[in-house]
């Protein structure tokens, strides 16, 4: 019990420091109350305002009719945006093409393209983050969630329906429509239109079609994972990346709950965002937009006293105490830090390499 209280005090101090970040972001935060009482009085970041610099490079058509035949994906690249968005195009093609051709099993089992296909099914957060805990602690966490031993942690990070979840606090749907940018993979062969949307979008000299390789689905035990490339029909605009926002919300949240593996958890979140570029469904700037959105979202939650006391700290204590108990029972140390060291949870064993949109792991 004493250890739990001490850890809570340390986390409270760290979170108090984070609160100052929220004040710096106040110019970009709305005064809207959160949609559910579980979020306390936390205010949702105004994602469009936060990412408003994008308007310097692209002037979107206002979306009244959000359909492919209406206003979706239409606008004009500005003169200032030609070089910036041109580099955006080159980078997504380079990352996507390299991954599509690379047969290296980067984690010993899957290629980077296959990992990207797995990450496309972002609802299974436990599967995505399990390897970031290391094999032994990852198994402890998986068993704890499956056996109902980690209800607070599960609600905050892993549950698909929890009203308390980091990933459920904000969405990017409104911002996507505000910015209204076409996806990188659009081409006439598959969508019937290229990125000019039948000539309605002025790319100001940028290529109408990019050489994006569509990554095939991966089948595991009869279950298909991957990207269906249906954003044109839905429609779902490119900037910012919603998958990245969710992935970063969860990764930053987990790093708060388990700071002993914070660098590894955030690195896994970074890979999840980069994998959207690997699939060719997002540009690097979309991923950066998702990171910024998630950082502002988690900061707002960290900074709310009600959420911090009623949701965040109890989940932190639950996860820390559960892992410490499992580690001690198996002779892997009396604390989480000792267990991380003894089990080699921070030892890198794969061949994944950093990219322009991926933070290098601190290992």
């Amino acid at each position: 019990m004493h250890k739990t209280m001490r850890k809570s005090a340390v986390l409270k101090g760290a979170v108090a420091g984070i609160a100052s970040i929220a004040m710096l972001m106040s110019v970009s935060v709305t005064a809207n109350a959160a949609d559910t009482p579980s979020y306390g009085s936390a205010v949702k970041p105004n994602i469009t305002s936060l990412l408003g610099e994008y308007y310097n490079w692209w002037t979107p058509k206002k979306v009244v009719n959000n359909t492919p035949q209406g206003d979706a994906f239409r606008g004009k690249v500005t003169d200032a945006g030609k070089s910036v968005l041109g580099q955006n195009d080159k980078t997504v093609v380079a990352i996507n093409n390299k991954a599509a051709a690379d047969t290296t099993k980067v984690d010993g089992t899957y290629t980077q393209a296959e990992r990207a296909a797995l990450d496309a099914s972002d609802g299974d957060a436990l599967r995505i983050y399990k390897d970031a805990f290391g094999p032994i602690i990852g198994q402890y966490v998986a068993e704890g969630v499956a056996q109902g031993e980690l209800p607070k942690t599960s609600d905050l990070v892993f549950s698909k329906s929890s009203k308390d979840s980091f990933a459920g606090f904000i969405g990017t749907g409104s911002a996507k429509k505000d910015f209204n940018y076409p996806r990188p993979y659009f081409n006439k062969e598959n969508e019937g239109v290229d990125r000019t949307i039948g000539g309605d979008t002025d790319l100001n000299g940028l290529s109408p079609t990019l050489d994006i390789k569509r990554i095939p689905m991966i089948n595991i035990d009869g279950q298909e994972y991957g990207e269906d490339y249906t954003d044109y029909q839905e429609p779902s605009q490119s900037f910012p990346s919603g998958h990245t926002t969710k992935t970063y919300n969860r990764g930053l949240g987990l790093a708060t709950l388990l700071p002993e593996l914070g660098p590894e958890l955030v690195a896994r979140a970074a890979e999840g965002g980069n994998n959207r570029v690997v699939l060719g469904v997002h540009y690097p700037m979309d991923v950066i937009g998702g990171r910024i959105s998630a950082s502002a979202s988690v900061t707002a939650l960290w900074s709310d006293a009600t959420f911090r006391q009623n949701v965040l700290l109890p989940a932190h204590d639950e996860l820390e105490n559960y892992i410490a108990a499992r580690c001690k029972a198996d002779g892997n140390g009396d604390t989480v830090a000792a267990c991380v060291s003894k089990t080699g949870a921070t030892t890198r064993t794969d061949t994944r390499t950093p990219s322009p949109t991926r933070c290098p792991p601190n290992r």
Side-chain angles (χ1 to χ4, degrees):
M1 182 68 177
H2 175 70
K3 289 181 180 178
T4 297
M5 294 294 289
R6 181 175 60 81
K7 288 174 183 174
S8 294
V10 171
L11 184 58
K12 287 175 185 175
V15 169
I18 294 296
S20 63
I21 299 176
M23 295 182 65
L24 295 175
M25 290 182 168
S26 61
V27 67
S28 298
V29 174
T30 65
N32 298 339
D35 291 340
T36 63
S38 296
Y39 293 125
S41 59
V43 294
K44 293 186 177 184
N46 183 323
I47 302 303
T48 299
S49 176
L50 195 64
L51 304 177
E53 188 177 358
Y54 200 81
Y55 289 130
N56 293 340
W57 308 314
W58 162 257
T59 304
K61 180 178 181 180
K62 181 177 176 58
V63 174
V64 177
N65 177 8
N66 191 34
T67 67
Q69 297 74 32
D71 303 319
F73 310 114
R74 289 160 171 82
K76 177 181 176 6
V77 173
T78 68
D79 289 341
K82 286 179 66 176
S83 62
V84 175
L85 298 181
Q87 185 60 50
N88 213 26
D89 290 353
K90 292 176 183 177
T91 306
V92 63
V93 170
I95 292 173
N96 165 260
N97 286 191
K98 184 179 188 302
D102 193 350
T103 59
T104 304
K105 303 295 185 182
V106 295
D107 59 3
T109 304
Y110 301 112
T111 66
Q112 192 65 56
E114 289 169 338
R115 285 181 66 88
L118 286 167
D119 278 5
S121 303
D122 70 338
D124 190 357
L126 179 58
R127 175 187 53 75
I128 291 173
Y129 280 99
K130 184 180 176 183
D131 63 349
F133 291 106
I136 294 175
I137 296 178
Q139 189 60 35
Y140 291 161
V141 173
E143 291 171 358
V145 171
Q147 294 166 8
E149 298 290 331
L150 295 170
K152 296 179 176 65
T153 304
S154 184
D155 281 350
L156 191 54
V157 182
F158 301 122
S159 174
K160 299 178 184 178
S161 58
S162 169
K163 58 186 174 61
D164 296 332
S165 70
F166 277 114
F169 183 52
I170 62 164
T172 56
S174 178
K176 282 177 177 288
K177 286 193 291 185
D178 288 340
F179 292 111
N180 203 26
Y181 200 73
R183 296 275 182 158
Y185 66 85
F186 288 176
N187 64 47
K188 291 182 179 179
E189 179 181 356
N190 292 282
E191 283 71 41
V193 296
D194 55 30
R195 296 194 304 160
T196 67
I197 317 299
D200 290 348
T201 287
D202 182 359
L203 295 177
N204 202 357
L206 300 184
S207 177
T209 304
L210 301 179
D211 182 24
I212 296 296
K213 312 298 184 186
R214 302 192 183 207
I215 306 299
M217 294 275 190
I218 180 173
N219 190 299
I220 301 176
D221 298 327
Q223 175 69 46
E224 281 199 330
Y225 298 87
E227 182 60 49
D228 57 12
Y229 297 94
T230 59
D231 300 294
Y232 178 72
Q233 293 85 353
E234 291 178 11
S236 175
Q237 290 86 344
S238 201
F239 183 84
S241 167
H243 273 71
T244 302
T245 302
K246 285 183 181 180
T247 299
Y248 245 74
N249 267 324
R250 290 168 175 149
L252 292 173
L254 275 172
T256 307
L257 301 185
L258 198 66
E260 294 89 344
L261 286 172
E264 286 70 31
L265 291 162
V266 175
R268 184 62 181 91
E271 183 193 6
N274 182 67
N275 279 341
R276 305 303 290 163
V277 185
V278 167
L279 291 171
V281 294
H282 277 292
Y283 307 89
M285 285 179 63
D286 301 345
V287 172
I288 298 303
R291 288 187 183 188
I292 293 170
S293 301
S295 298
S297 173
V298 173
T299 297
L301 292 174
W302 280 342
S303 303
D304 180 73
T306 300
F307 184 83
R308 195 163 63 242
Q309 286 297 129
N310 296 344
V311 180
L312 183 61
L313 290 171
H316 164 266
D317 293 344
E318 174 190 81
L319 183 60
E320 286 269 349
N321 291 339
Y322 173 81
I323 292 175
R326 290 292 305 269
C327 291
K328 184 176 181 179
D330 288 350
N332 289 321
D334 294 341
T335 66
V336 174
C339 190
V340 167
S341 177
K342 186 165 184 178
T343 61
T346 58
T347 301
R348 188 173 180 80
T349 58
D350 59 49
T351 59
R352 285 170 286 169
T353 55
S355 78
T357 63
R358 179 173 168 205
C359 294
N362 184 13
R363 300 182 178 178

